[in-house]
Amino acid sequence: MKIEMTAKEFAEYTEYLDRRKPRLSREWIDLRSEITNYCHSHKTMSRSFSTQQNFIYGAIRFVTGISQIDQLKGSQVDLARMVFHELVEKRENFSNEIN
């Protein structure tokens, strides 16, 4: 089914769709990328990328008290970064896995 719109209707519809998208903070996008890179570079036979990512995200959600990880903003991202780096440090100090 094809619907024809005027240029104005199309612009209004696009603006409507843009407003519905969740706005992610730049700080969270950067940290999320750092976590993704870490999980990819440290996956093992016993701990896959998704297992590690879910663990890290779960710890961040627990400490910050949010339910959706992409809701992180401002000082919550700073706290999330501290949690992530603490987990990385603990793994390096206590893990017997070789990467």
Side-chain angles (χ1 to χ4, degrees):
M1 180 171 161
K2 186 175 181 179
I3 298 175
E4 295 192 24
M5 293 184 196
T6 66
K8 182 181 178 199
E9 290 172 330
F10 181 74
E12 289 172 352
Y13 182 66
T14 334
E15 183 181 327
Y16 165 76
L17 291 177
D18 284 345
R19 280 182 289 177
R20 293 189 54 191
K21 291 180 189 174
R23 301 285 184 216
L24 304 179
S25 73
R26 170 64 22 217
E27 296 85 9
W28 168 239
I29 292 171
D30 293 342
L31 178 57
R32 186 174 65 177
S33 176
E34 187 179 340
I35 292 169
T36 297
N37 291 339
Y38 176 83
C39 292
H40 276 300
S41 64
H42 289 82
K43 61 185 173 184
T44 64
M45 291 298 282
S46 61
R47 290 194 178 89
S48 67
F49 167 85
S50 61
T51 299
Q52 293 180 94
Q53 184 187 51
N54 288 335
F55 179 81
I56 293 166
Y57 283 3
I60 290 170
R61 282 193 304 272
F62 177 74
V63 170
T64 59
I66 61 164
S67 60
Q68 298 293 320
I69 197 74
D70 284 336
Q71 293 174 343
L72 288 171
K73 292 186 181 351
S75 63
Q76 290 176 324
V77 177
D78 296 334
L79 182 56
R81 186 176 303 282
M82 288 177 12
V83 169
F84 169 60
H85 288 291
E86 185 72 25
L87 291 172
V88 168
E89 182 182 328
K90 295 291 186 207
R91 182 176 186 191
E92 289 172 357
N93 289 337
F94 298 107
S95 178
N96 58 2
E97 294 175 347
I98 299 173
N99 291 319

